[in-house]
Amino acid sequence: MQQMLKAFARLEEIDLFEFVVHCIMKRQNVRTLSLVVCTFTYLLIGAAVFDSLESATEAKRWEFLQAVKNNFVTKYNVSAEDYRMIEIVIIENKPHKAGPQWKFAGAFYFATVVLAMIGYGHSTPTTVAGKLFTMFYAMVGIPLGLVMFQSIGERLNKVASVIIRRAKRASGAKSTDATEMNLMLATGMLSSIIITTGAAVFSRYEGWSYFDSFYYCFVTLTTIGFGDYVALQNDQALTSKPGYVALSLVFILFGLAVVAASINLLVLRFMTMQAEDAKRDEEEAQHQAIINQALAFDDNGKLLEHYCITENDERASNCPCTCMDGTRCHNHQNDIFVDEVLFDYPVLFIDPVIFVDEEMLEPEDIVESPICIKRASV
């Protein structure tokens, strides 16, 4: 009996919760590492593609600009210092083509760009006070803008789900529920309509090609904001075209809200997949922990590996009760069960409900263990 109590103590030392947590964390670490590897691989592929597409053109443009510079310097006998001064004047004068950048209209456009995290770079504060205020303004405005766009996106998804349900009901569909795929298609179509329509508008007002306008709309609504194409920067547009300014601001705000709706659905879908994977990992880890509960110890108390009795390990029994081979029944060789089976055999599986107050239960009192052994008794 003392040896059996020691065996119980050894089994209780195995912390199944820690084992489950270890298995889950191991799966999550592998998933995270896989995402990191995939992301860096994607970056390497992108770098290789951009290199092959843009590198040769960049070299040709540089050679052309150098040739133009040399011809200009030679033709007008301009010194290097004077040429550098001309460059500075031209670069610094470019933002002012749209009119005063820091009057109310231009300042509102700049604040919108900051809050939306687009960051064209076409106009930047030059004073210390302006730079400090920009940092504090962004710290409050960016979270506020994210929450606003997220909330508007959720409302748009709600409206889309109502429209989808009514459309399915009107068409006589069997299922009238708006699935995630339906919402993703709806928001994707709405985003495409906004980008294509905006591209047509900006192409007309800015004089860009339709492709360049489409590129500008995509870069803007995805908040990439390279700044190579910026609206409202020609012909004093900020002061002379208030309608166009309002249209541009509405396009940015509403377009970002629609894109936020699409991103919200993607994030929810990803979180659902993560939750399902985590639940499956936890179930698998618990199952593995239950299997590993049937452990074996040698005579010195050392844990023996690779000993486990599974549910399929049923033995034939000649006993009318549910004992195993007639050797673990109270009606058969009680002394052999205690002296030989538990401590001379290499496999030790002890169910805590077998002994109560140091007395073995009768066969009819056995509680089947769902862990490893189906057919067993005392």
Side-chain angles (χ1 to χ4, degrees), residues 202-233:
F202 288 113
S203 176
R204 180 179 182 278
Y205 279 95
E206 297 291 339
W208 300 332
S209 66
Y210 184 81
F211 178 80
D212 289 339
S213 299
F214 188 92
Y215 167 79
Y216 162 77
C217 294
F218 179 84
V219 169
T220 298
L221 297 186
T222 53
T223 69
I224 298 174
F226 289 126
D228 50 348
Y229 288 91
V230 182
L232 304 174
Q233 299 302 300

Side-chain angles (χ1 to χ4, degrees), residues 326-340:
T327 60
R328 299 187 66 179
C329 179
H330 185 64
N331 301 323
H332 300 85
Q333 302 180 9
N334 187 25
D335 294 334
I336 295 177
F337 167 68
V338 176
D339 296 335
E340 295 180 6

Side-chain angles (χ1 to χ4, degrees), residues 27-45:
R27 293 285 184 87
Q28 292 178 350
N29 291 337
V30 171
R31 185 183 297 113
T32 301
L33 182 60
S34 300
L35 288 174
V36 172
V37 172
C38 291
T39 301
F40 275 96
T41 303
Y42 192 73
L43 291 173
L44 292 174
I45 294 174

Side-chain angles (χ1 to χ4, degrees), residues 14 58 62 114 126 138 206 245 251 257 263 302 321 340 346 359:
I14 302 173
E58 180 189 31
W62 174 251
V114 171
T126 56
E206 297 291 339
V245 174
F251 167 79
I263 295 175
K302 185 178 180 181
C321 66
E340 295 180 6
E359 294 184 1

Side-chain angles (χ1 to χ4, degrees), residues 110-119 134-150 223 256:
F110 174 80
T112 304
V113 170
V114 171
L115 188 140
M117 295 187 299
I118 299 174
T134 299
M135 291 187 286
F136 286 107
Y137 185 80
M139 289 175 61
V140 178
I142 289 175
L144 178 62
L146 290 176
V147 173
M148 182 196 69
F149 292 133
Q150 186 75 7
T223 69
L256 287 175

